[in-house]
Amino acid sequence: MSAGVQSAVSLESRFARELPELAVPWRAEDFPDARLVVLNEHLAAELGLDAELLRAGDGVRFLTGAALPPGATPVAQGYAGHQFGAYSPRLGDGRALLLGEVVDVAGRVRDIHLKGSGPTPFTRAGDGLAAIGPMLREYVVSEAMHALGVPTTRSLAVVATGQTVYRETALPGALLVRVASSHLRVGSFQYAAATGDAELVGRLVDFAVARHYPHLLEAENRALALFEAVRSAQAQLVAQWMLLGFVHGVMNTDNMTISGETIDYGPCAFLDGFDPAAAYSSIDVGRRYAYGNQPAIAGWNLARFAETLLPAFHENRDEAIALAQEALDAFGTQYSAAWSEGFRAKIGLREGVDEAVTGPLIGDLVALMQGSRVDGTSFFRRLADAARGVPEGARGMFIDLAGFDAWLERWKQLAPDPDAMDAVNPVYIPRNHLVEEALAAATDGDLAPLGRLWEAVTDPYTQRPGFERYAEPAPEDFGAYRTFCGT
Ligand code: AMP
Ligand code: MG
């Protein structure tokens, strides 16, 4: 490898060293024809990586895990998980690797992880590979989420492997270089707990607390403090999803992080019309992960997390269950508070407006939006215009116009602030039809639409000329229930 990358990058092996029971040392498949497709230069700079070094010489070999700094110990991580409610004791990185950790320019520890890097000892079915479309989907949607202010794993690069992968058709293969504050999941704890080794679970708790919640290292009951911190982080996270109309699509326990970052952009989608039953994934036949179910599912996943920690909560099982139940009960309250607070901001009302007024006002608006299948993203920006005295755009979105007009009158009494609304309501989100269009073009070798979409969604709150079509809902003929699935 080039001296440049080798001396510039220092990869630590904290996870591999401290939790060897959850890590299988492994190497990425060799992709001699690998070629960089997209590089996130902003993120590279955050990580202290020189974009020019990554583009040149052995940079791409570093990004595919073929040429690593001396001492690096890439590992496939072990984890279990409930998938659509059914427990799998051994999932793990079946097509992914943790290359190691870097300390970024702000001093934070960040995982460098590959997805689509070839089979591992955890591969069950599947080829260990990924197609370029889904990797670019994660690249653009995760970075859009970050720009929207939602905690998320990040995307450093997508590299074409030069291989063909076979799905319904033959497709160009690619891998994603993912960056995360860690890849610890609820499923990591399920995997550790299933060994019956309390010392291992304790070490995992210590690792998670040190990494994500170091202020809790002094807590009297460290495992319980960790659980409460994850619960709070997830309550905030899912409230943000709901306020943006984001449907994750595959909220299995192995796809719920301990950090509170959104992870695994597979069959995710954004609502076009407000509908709690909206589910986009073809594999989610029971609509378990429909938009409106997400808070309840997060609570369900947290209950599975609590189960892994019961022996660490208290030596007496009944006492442990009581502690878990109490901690879990706070999830609903925290979620509702975060959601109401966020919704109040979306409609431009100042903090401190009486909850007895805002509660029913918000509830009535949600019912009206649902009744008319209103596209929330367009609506909230138009509602700011209504606060500026131009209500026509917002009014045009409702079938029950009299109902909405009555609502507008009540709302205007509270003197909403349109500029505050525009600061929290995005103009540009990665709408499904735009993502599909960009990925189809990229799969055929044309990266221009993806670049344009990227420009729109990585600066989502600033309306700009030339990006009009990126602010529009899907055309009628796009179809309400297409599947945005794919691996
Ligand atoms: P996901 O639904 O993407 O979170 O993946 C769930 C599990 O399936 C993980 O253990 C993945 O590693 C594994 N998996 C998904 N796709 C593939 C693939 N193409 N080859 C091997 N394993 C895969
Ligand atoms: Mg996953």
Side-chain angles (χ1 to χ4, degrees), residues 273-353:
F274 191 88
D275 177 11
Y280 298 85
S281 165
S282 62
I283 49 174
D284 191 4
V285 281
R287 295 182 180 259
R288 178 180 172 89
Y289 300 139
Y291 171 68
N293 280 355
Q294 295 185 121
I297 290 292
W300 191 90
N301 288 348
L302 287 167
R304 305 289 78 72
F305 181 35
E307 283 165 3
T308 71
L309 294 173
L310 287 177
F313 286 167
H314 200 284
E315 60 199 13
N316 177 290
R317 194 173 161 81
D318 291 338
E319 298 270 1
I321 290 172
L323 288 169
Q325 195 59 57
E326 192 187 334
L328 201 52
D329 284 345
F331 175 77
T333 322
Q334 280 185 325
Y335 166 76
S336 297
W339 183 84
S340 301
E341 172 61 23
F343 208 105
R344 183 192 56 67
K346 286 177 87 68
I347 60 172
L349 301 185
R350 269 162 272 279
E351 262 175 273
V353 180

Coordinates of all heavy atoms in Angstrom, one line a residue, residues 273-353:
G273 N -47.9 10.7 1.5 CA -49.2 11.1 2.1 C -49.3 10.6 3.5 O -48.9 9.4 3.7
F274 N -49.9 11.4 4.4 CA -49.9 10.9 5.8 C -50.8 9.7 5.9 O -52.0 9.8 5.7 CB -50.4 12.1 6.7 CG -50.2 11.8 8.1 CD1 -49.0 12.1 8.8 CD2 -51.2 11.1 8.9 CE1 -48.8 11.8 10.1 CE2 -51.0 10.8 10.2 CZ -49.8 11.2 10.8
D275 N -50.2 8.6 6.4 CA -50.9 7.4 6.6 C -50.2 6.5 7.6 O -49.1 5.9 7.3 CB -51.0 6.7 5.2 CG -51.7 5.3 5.3 OD1 -52.3 5.0 6.4 OD2 -51.6 4.6 4.3
P276 N -50.8 6.3 8.8 CA -50.1 5.5 9.8 C -49.9 4.0 9.3 O -48.9 3.4 9.8 CB -51.1 5.5 11.0 CG -51.9 6.7 10.8 CD -52.0 6.9 9.3
A277 N -50.7 3.5 8.4 CA -50.5 2.2 8.0 C -49.5 2.0 6.9 O -49.2 0.9 6.4 CB -51.9 1.6 7.4
A278 N -48.8 3.1 6.4 CA -47.9 3.0 5.3 C -46.7 2.1 5.7 O -46.1 2.3 6.7 CB -47.4 4.4 4.9
A279 N -46.5 1.1 4.8 CA -45.4 0.2 4.9 C -44.9 0.0 3.5 O -45.7 -0.2 2.6 CB -45.8 -1.1 5.6
Y280 N -43.6 0.0 3.3 CA -43.1 0.0 1.9 C -42.4 -1.3 1.5 O -42.1 -1.5 0.4 CB -42.2 1.2 1.6 CG -42.9 2.5 1.8 CD1 -43.1 3.1 3.0 CD2 -43.5 3.2 0.7 CE1 -43.7 4.3 3.2 CE2 -44.2 4.4 0.8 CZ -44.3 4.9 2.1 OH -44.9 6.1 2.2
S281 N -42.0 -2.0 2.6 CA -41.1 -3.1 2.3 C -41.9 -4.4 1.9 O -42.9 -4.7 2.5 CB -40.4 -3.5 3.6 OG -39.8 -4.7 3.5
S282 N -41.5 -5.0 0.8 CA -42.2 -6.2 0.3 C -42.1 -7.3 1.3 O -43.0 -8.2 1.3 CB -41.6 -6.6 -1.0 OG -40.2 -6.9 -0.9
I283 N -41.1 -7.4 2.1 CA -41.0 -8.5 3.1 C -41.8 -8.3 4.3 O -42.0 -9.2 5.1 CB -39.5 -8.8 3.5 CG1 -38.7 -7.6 3.9 CG2 -38.8 -9.5 2.3 CD1 -37.3 -7.8 4.4
D284 N -42.3 -7.0 4.5 CA -43.1 -6.7 5.7 C -44.6 -7.0 5.5 O -45.4 -6.1 5.5 CB -42.8 -5.3 6.2 CG -43.4 -5.0 7.6 OD1 -43.9 -5.9 8.2 OD2 -43.3 -3.8 8.0
V285 N -44.9 -8.2 5.2 CA -46.2 -8.6 4.8 C -47.3 -8.2 5.9 O -48.4 -7.8 5.6 CB -46.4 -10.0 4.3 CG1 -45.8 -10.2 2.9 CG2 -45.7 -11.0 5.3
G286 N -46.9 -8.4 7.1 CA -47.9 -8.1 8.2 C -47.9 -6.6 8.6 O -48.6 -6.3 9.5
R287 N -47.1 -5.8 7.9 CA -47.0 -4.4 8.2 C -46.6 -4.1 9.7 O -47.0 -3.2 10.3 CB -48.4 -3.6 8.0 CG -48.7 -3.6 6.5 CD -50.0 -2.9 6.2 NE -50.2 -3.0 4.8 CZ -50.0 -2.0 3.9 NH1 -49.5 -0.8 4.3 NH2 -50.2 -2.2 2.6
R288 N -45.8 -5.0 10.2 CA -45.2 -4.9 11.5 C -44.5 -3.5 11.7 O -44.6 -2.9 12.7 CB -44.3 -6.0 11.8 CG -43.6 -6.0 13.2 CD -42.7 -7.2 13.3 NE -41.8 -7.1 14.5 CZ -42.2 -7.6 15.7 NH1 -43.4 -8.1 15.9 NH2 -41.4 -7.4 16.7
Y289 N -43.8 -3.2 10.6 CA -42.9 -2.0 10.7 C -43.6 -0.8 10.0 O -42.8 0.1 9.5 CB -41.5 -2.3 10.2 CG -40.8 -3.4 11.1 CD1 -40.1 -4.4 10.5 CD2 -41.0 -3.4 12.5 CE1 -39.5 -5.3 11.3 CE2 -40.4 -4.4 13.2 CZ -39.6 -5.3 12.6 OH -39.0 -6.3 13.4
A290 N -44.9 -0.7 9.9 CA -45.6 0.4 9.3 C -45.3 1.7 10.1 O -44.9 1.7 11.2 CB -47.1 0.1 9.3
Y291 N -45.4 2.8 9.4 CA -45.1 4.1 9.9 C -45.6 4.3 11.4 O -44.9 4.6 12.3 CB -45.7 5.2 9.0 CG -45.6 6.6 9.6 CD1 -44.4 7.2 9.8 CD2 -46.8 7.3 9.9 CE1 -44.3 8.5 10.3 CE2 -46.7 8.5 10.5 CZ -45.5 9.2 10.6 OH -45.4 10.4 11.2
G292 N -46.9 4.1 11.5 CA -47.5 4.3 12.8 C -47.2 3.3 13.9 O -47.4 3.6 15.1
N293 N -46.6 2.2 13.5 CA -46.2 1.2 14.5 C -44.8 1.4 15.1 O -44.4 0.7 16.1 CB -46.2 -0.2 13.9 CG -47.5 -0.8 13.8 OD1 -48.5 -0.3 14.2 ND2 -47.6 -2.0 13.1
Q294 N -44.1 2.4 14.6 CA -42.7 2.5 14.9 C -42.4 2.7 16.4 O -41.6 2.1 17.0 CB -42.0 3.5 14.0 CG -42.0 3.0 12.6 CD -41.2 3.9 11.7 OE1 -40.2 3.5 11.0 NE2 -41.5 5.2 11.6
P295 N -43.2 3.6 17.0 CA -42.9 3.9 18.5 C -43.2 2.6 19.3 O -42.4 2.2 20.2 CB -43.9 5.0 18.9 CG -44.2 5.7 17.6 CD -44.2 4.6 16.5
A296 N -44.3 1.9 19.0 CA -44.6 0.6 19.7 C -43.5 -0.4 19.5 O -43.1 -1.1 20.4 CB -45.9 0.1 19.3
I297 N -43.0 -0.5 18.3 CA -42.0 -1.5 18.0 C -40.7 -1.1 18.7 O -40.0 -2.0 19.3 CB -41.7 -1.6 16.5 CG1 -42.9 -2.3 15.8 CG2 -40.4 -2.3 16.2 CD1 -43.1 -3.7 16.1
A298 N -40.4 0.1 18.8 CA -39.1 0.6 19.5 C -39.3 0.1 21.0 O -38.3 -0.4 21.6 CB -39.0 2.1 19.4
G299 N -40.5 0.3 21.6 CA -40.7 -0.1 22.9 C -40.5 -1.7 23.1 O -39.9 -2.2 24.0
W300 N -41.0 -2.4 22.1 CA -40.9 -3.9 22.1 C -39.4 -4.3 22.0 O -39.0 -5.1 22.8 CB -41.7 -4.4 20.9 CG -41.9 -5.9 20.9 CD1 -42.9 -6.6 21.4 CD2 -41.0 -6.9 20.3 NE1 -42.8 -7.9 21.2 CE2 -41.6 -8.2 20.6 CE3 -39.8 -6.8 19.6 CZ2 -41.0 -9.4 20.1 CZ3 -39.2 -8.0 19.2 CH2 -39.8 -9.3 19.5
N301 N -38.7 -3.6 21.2 CA -37.3 -3.9 21.1 C -36.5 -3.6 22.4 O -35.6 -4.4 22.8 CB -36.6 -3.1 19.9 CG -37.0 -3.6 18.5 OD1 -37.6 -4.7 18.4 ND2 -36.8 -2.8 17.5
L302 N -36.9 -2.5 23.0 CA -36.3 -2.2 24.3 C -36.6 -3.2 25.4 O -35.8 -3.5 26.2 CB -36.7 -0.8 24.7 CG -36.1 0.4 23.9 CD1 -36.8 1.7 24.2 CD2 -34.6 0.5 24.1
A303 N -37.8 -3.8 25.3 CA -38.1 -4.8 26.2 C -37.2 -6.0 26.0 O -36.7 -6.7 27.0 CB -39.6 -5.3 26.1
R304 N -36.9 -6.3 24.8 CA -35.9 -7.4 24.5 C -34.5 -7.1 25.0 O -33.8 -7.9 25.5 CB -35.8 -7.7 23.0 CG -37.2 -8.0 22.3 CD -37.8 -9.4 22.7 NE -38.4 -9.4 23.9 CZ -39.6 -8.8 24.2 NH1 -40.3 -8.1 23.3 NH2 -40.1 -8.9 25.4
F305 N -34.2 -5.8 24.9 CA -32.9 -5.3 25.4 C -32.9 -5.5 26.9 O -31.9 -6.0 27.5 CB -32.7 -3.9 25.0 CG -31.4 -3.2 25.4 CD1 -30.2 -4.0 25.5 CD2 -31.4 -1.9 25.8 CE1 -29.0 -3.4 25.9 CE2 -30.2 -1.3 26.2 CZ -29.0 -2.0 26.2
A306 N -33.9 -5.1 27.6 CA -34.0 -5.2 29.0 C -33.8 -6.6 29.5 O -33.1 -6.9 30.5 CB -35.3 -4.6 29.6
E307 N -34.4 -7.6 28.7 CA -34.3 -9.0 29.1 C -32.8 -9.4 29.2 O -32.5 -10.3 30.0 CB -35.0 -9.8 28.1 CG -36.6 -9.8 28.3 CD -37.3 -10.3 27.1 OE1 -36.7 -10.8 26.1 OE2 -38.6 -10.3 27.2
T308 N -32.0 -8.9 28.3 CA -30.6 -9.3 28.3 C -29.9 -8.8 29.5 O -28.8 -9.3 29.8 CB -29.9 -8.8 27.0 OG1 -29.7 -7.4 27.1 CG2 -30.6 -9.2 25.8
L309 N -30.4 -7.8 30.2 CA -29.7 -7.2 31.3 C -30.3 -7.5 32.6 O -29.7 -7.0 33.6 CB -29.7 -5.6 31.1 CG -28.9 -5.1 29.8 CD1 -29.2 -3.6 29.7 CD2 -27.4 -5.4 30.0
L310 N -31.3 -8.3 32.7 CA -32.0 -8.6 34.0 C -31.0 -9.0 35.0 O -31.0 -8.4 36.1 CB -33.1 -9.6 33.8 CG -34.4 -9.1 33.1 CD1 -35.4 -10.2 32.9 CD2 -35.0 -7.9 33.9
P311 N -30.1 -10.0 34.8 CA -29.2 -10.4 35.8 C -28.3 -9.3 36.3 O -27.8 -9.3 37.4 CB -28.4 -11.6 35.2 CG -29.2 -12.0 34.0 CD -30.0 -10.8 33.5
A312 N -28.0 -8.4 35.4 CA -27.1 -7.2 35.7 C -27.9 -6.2 36.5 O -27.3 -5.4 37.2 CB -26.5 -6.7 34.4
F313 N -29.2 -6.1 36.3 CA -30.0 -5.1 37.0 C -30.0 -5.4 38.5 O -29.9 -4.5 39.3 CB -31.4 -5.0 36.5 CG -31.6 -4.4 35.1 CD1 -32.8 -4.5 34.4 CD2 -30.6 -3.6 34.6 CE1 -33.0 -3.9 33.2 CE2 -30.8 -3.0 33.3 CZ -32.0 -3.2 32.6
H314 N -30.3 -6.7 38.8 CA -30.4 -7.1 40.2 C -30.2 -8.6 40.3 O -30.7 -9.3 39.4 CB -31.8 -6.7 40.7 CG -31.9 -6.6 42.2 ND1 -32.0 -7.7 43.0 CD2 -31.9 -5.5 43.0 CE1 -32.0 -7.3 44.3 NE2 -32.0 -6.0 44.3
E315 N -29.7 -9.0 41.4 CA -29.4 -10.5 41.6 C -30.7 -11.2 41.8 O -30.9 -12.4 41.5 CB -28.4 -10.8 42.7 CG -28.9 -10.2 44.0 CD -27.8 -10.1 45.1 OE1 -26.6 -10.2 44.7 OE2 -28.1 -9.9 46.2
N316 N -31.7 -10.5 42.3 CA -33.0 -11.1 42.5 C -33.9 -10.9 41.3 O -34.1 -9.7 40.9 CB -33.7 -10.5 43.8 CG -35.1 -11.0 44.0 OD1 -36.0 -10.7 43.2 ND2 -35.3 -11.9 45.0
R317 N -34.4 -11.9 40.7 CA -35.1 -11.8 39.4 C -36.3 -10.9 39.5 O -36.6 -10.1 38.6 CB -35.4 -13.2 38.9 CG -35.8 -13.1 37.4 CD -36.0 -14.5 36.8 NE -36.7 -14.4 35.5 CZ -36.3 -14.0 34.4 NH1 -35.0 -13.7 34.2 NH2 -37.0 -13.9 33.3
D318 N -37.1 -11.1 40.6 CA -38.3 -10.3 40.7 C -38.0 -8.8 40.8 O -38.6 -7.9 40.2 CB -39.2 -10.7 41.9 CG -39.8 -12.1 41.6 OD1 -39.9 -12.5 40.5 OD2 -40.1 -12.8 42.6
E319 N -37.0 -8.5 41.6 CA -36.5 -7.1 41.7 C -36.0 -6.6 40.4 O -36.3 -5.4 40.0 CB -35.3 -7.1 42.7 CG -35.7 -7.5 44.1 CD -36.1 -6.4 45.0 OE1 -36.2 -5.2 44.5 OE2 -36.4 -6.6 46.2
A320 N -35.3 -7.5 39.7 CA -34.7 -7.0 38.3 C -35.9 -6.7 37.4 O -35.8 -5.7 36.7 CB -33.9 -8.2 37.8
I321 N -36.9 -7.6 37.4 CA -38.0 -7.3 36.5 C -38.8 -6.0 36.8 O -39.1 -5.2 36.0 CB -39.0 -8.5 36.5 CG1 -38.3 -9.7 35.8 CG2 -40.3 -8.2 35.8 CD1 -39.1 -11.0 35.9
A322 N -38.9 -5.8 38.1 CA -39.6 -4.5 38.6 C -38.8 -3.3 38.1 O -39.3 -2.3 37.6 CB -39.7 -4.5 40.1
L323 N -37.4 -3.4 38.2 CA -36.6 -2.3 37.8 C -36.7 -2.1 36.3 O -36.8 -1.0 35.8 CB -35.1 -2.5 38.1 CG -34.7 -2.4 39.6 CD1 -33.3 -3.0 39.8 CD2 -34.8 -1.0 40.1
A324 N -36.7 -3.2 35.5 CA -36.8 -3.1 34.1 C -38.2 -2.5 33.7 O -38.3 -1.7 32.8 CB -36.7 -4.5 33.5
Q325 N -39.2 -3.0 34.3 CA -40.6 -2.5 34.0 C -40.7 -1.0 34.2 O -41.2 -0.3 33.4 CB -41.6 -3.3 34.8 CG -43.0 -3.1 34.3 CD -43.2 -3.6 32.9 OE1 -42.9 -4.8 32.6 NE2 -43.6 -2.7 31.9
E326 N -40.2 -0.6 35.3 CA -40.3 0.8 35.6 C -39.5 1.7 34.6 O -40.0 2.7 34.1 CB -39.7 1.1 37.1 CG -40.0 2.5 37.6 CD -39.3 2.7 38.9 OE1 -39.0 1.7 39.7 OE2 -39.0 3.9 39.2
A327 N -38.3 1.2 34.3 CA -37.5 1.9 33.3 C -38.2 1.9 31.9 O -38.1 2.9 31.2 CB -36.1 1.3 33.2
L328 N -38.8 0.8 31.6 CA -39.4 0.7 30.3 C -40.6 1.5 30.2 O -40.9 2.1 29.1 CB -39.7 -0.8 30.1 CG -40.0 -1.4 28.7 CD1 -38.8 -1.0 27.7 CD2 -40.1 -2.9 28.8
D329 N -41.4 1.6 31.3 CA -42.6 2.4 31.3 C -42.4 3.9 30.9 O -43.3 4.5 30.3 CB -43.3 2.4 32.7 CG -44.0 1.0 32.9 OD1 -44.2 0.3 31.9 OD2 -44.3 0.7 34.1
A330 N -41.2 4.4 31.2 CA -40.9 5.8 30.9 C -40.8 6.0 29.4 O -40.8 7.2 28.9 CB -39.7 6.2 31.6
F331 N -40.6 4.9 28.6 CA -40.4 5.1 27.2 C -41.6 5.9 26.5 O -41.4 6.8 25.8 CB -40.2 3.8 26.4 CG -40.1 3.9 24.9 CD1 -38.9 4.4 24.4 CD2 -41.2 3.6 24.1 CE1 -38.8 4.6 23.0 CE2 -41.1 3.8 22.8 CZ -39.9 4.3 22.2
G332 N -42.8 5.4 26.8 CA -44.0 6.0 26.2 C -44.1 7.5 26.5 O -44.3 8.4 25.6
T333 N -43.8 7.8 27.8 CA -43.9 9.2 28.2 C -42.8 10.1 27.5 O -43.1 11.2 27.0 CB -43.7 9.3 29.7 OG1 -44.3 8.2 30.3 CG2 -44.2 10.6 30.3
Q334 N -41.6 9.5 27.5 CA -40.5 10.3 26.8 C -40.8 10.4 25.3 O -40.5 11.5 24.8 CB -39.2 9.5 27.0 CG -38.6 9.7 28.4 CD -37.2 9.1 28.5 OE1 -37.0 8.0 27.9 NE2 -36.3 9.7 29.2
Y335 N -41.2 9.4 24.7 CA -41.5 9.5 23.3 C -42.6 10.5 23.0 O -42.4 11.4 22.2 CB -41.9 8.1 22.7 CG -42.5 8.3 21.3 CD1 -41.7 8.5 20.2 CD2 -43.9 8.4 21.2 CE1 -42.2 8.8 19.0 CE2 -44.5 8.6 19.9 CZ -43.6 8.9 18.8 OH -44.1 9.1 17.6
S336 N -43.7 10.5 23.8 CA -44.8 11.4 23.5 C -44.3 12.9 23.8 O -44.7 13.8 23.0 CB -45.9 11.1 24.5 OG -46.4 9.9 24.2
A337 N -43.5 13.0 24.8 CA -43.0 14.4 25.1 C -42.2 14.9 23.9 O -42.3 16.1 23.5 CB -42.3 14.4 26.4
A338 N -41.3 14.0 23.4 CA -40.4 14.5 22.3 C -41.2 14.7 21.1 O -40.9 15.7 20.4 CB -39.3 13.4 22.1
W339 N -42.1 13.9 20.8 CA -43.0 14.1 19.6 C -43.8 15.4 19.7 O -43.8 16.2 18.8 CB -43.9 12.9 19.4 CG -44.7 13.0 18.1 CD1 -44.3 12.6 16.9 CD2 -46.0 13.5 18.0 NE1 -45.3 12.9 16.0 CE2 -46.4 13.4 16.7 CE3 -46.9 14.0 18.9 CZ2 -47.6 13.8 16.2 CZ3 -48.2 14.4 18.5 CH2 -48.5 14.3 17.1
S340 N -44.4 15.6 20.8 CA -45.3 16.8 21.0 C -44.4 18.1 20.9 O -44.8 19.0 20.3 CB -46.0 16.8 22.4 OG -46.8 15.6 22.5
E341 N -43.3 18.0 21.5 CA -42.4 19.2 21.5 C -42.0 19.5 20.1 O -42.0 20.6 19.6 CB -41.2 18.8 22.4 CG -40.0 19.8 22.4 CD -40.4 21.2 22.8 OE1 -41.4 21.3 23.6 OE2 -39.7 22.1 22.4
G342 N -41.6 18.4 19.3 CA -41.2 18.6 18.0 C -42.3 19.1 17.1 O -42.2 19.9 16.2
F343 N -43.5 18.6 17.3 CA -44.7 19.0 16.5 C -45.0 20.4 16.8 O -45.4 21.2 15.9 CB -45.9 18.1 16.8 CG -46.8 18.0 15.6 CD1 -46.8 16.8 14.8 CD2 -47.7 19.0 15.3 CE1 -47.7 16.7 13.7 CE2 -48.5 18.9 14.2 CZ -48.5 17.8 13.4
R344 N -45.0 20.8 18.1 CA -45.2 22.2 18.4 C -44.3 23.1 17.7 O -44.7 24.2 17.1 CB -45.0 22.4 20.0 CG -45.3 23.8 20.5 CD -44.8 24.0 21.9 NE -43.4 23.8 22.1 CZ -42.4 24.5 21.5 NH1 -42.7 25.5 20.7 NH2 -41.2 24.2 21.7
A345 N -43.0 22.7 17.6 CA -42.0 23.5 16.8 C -42.4 23.6 15.3 O -42.2 24.6 14.7 CB -40.6 23.0 17.0
K346 N -42.8 22.4 14.8 CA -43.2 22.4 13.4 C -44.3 23.3 13.0 O -44.3 23.9 11.9 CB -43.6 20.9 13.0 CG -42.4 20.0 12.9 CD -42.8 18.6 12.5 CE -43.0 18.3 11.0 NZ -41.7 18.4 10.3
I347 N -45.2 23.6 13.9 CA -46.3 24.5 13.6 C -46.0 25.9 14.2 O -46.9 26.7 14.3 CB -47.7 23.9 14.0 CG1 -47.8 23.6 15.5 CG2 -48.0 22.7 13.2 CD1 -49.2 23.3 16.0
G348 N -44.8 26.1 14.6 CA -44.3 27.5 14.9 C -44.8 28.1 16.2 O -44.9 29.3 16.3
L349 N -45.2 27.2 17.1 CA -45.7 27.8 18.4 C -44.6 27.9 19.4 O -43.7 27.0 19.4 CB -46.8 26.9 19.0 CG -48.0 26.8 18.0 CD1 -49.2 26.0 18.7 CD2 -48.6 28.1 17.5
R350 N -44.6 28.9 20.1 CA -43.5 29.2 21.1 C -43.6 28.1 22.3 O -44.7 27.6 22.6 CB -43.7 30.6 21.7 CG -42.9 31.6 20.9 CD -43.4 33.0 21.3 NE -44.5 33.4 20.4 CZ -44.3 33.9 19.1 NH1 -43.1 34.0 18.7 NH2 -45.3 34.2 18.3
E351 N -42.5 27.9 22.8 CA -42.4 27.1 24.1 C -43.3 27.7 25.1 O -43.4 29.0 25.2 CB -41.0 27.0 24.6 CG -40.3 25.7 24.2 CD -38.8 25.8 24.7 OE1 -38.0 26.3 23.9 OE2 -38.5 25.3 25.8
G352 N -43.9 26.9 25.9 CA -44.7 27.5 27.0 C -46.1 27.8 26.7 O -46.9 28.2 27.6
V353 N -46.5 27.6 25.4 CA -47.9 27.7 25.1 C -48.6 26.5 25.8 O -48.1 25.4 25.9 CB -48.2 27.6 23.6 CG1 -49.7 27.7 23.3 CG2 -47.5 28.7 22.9

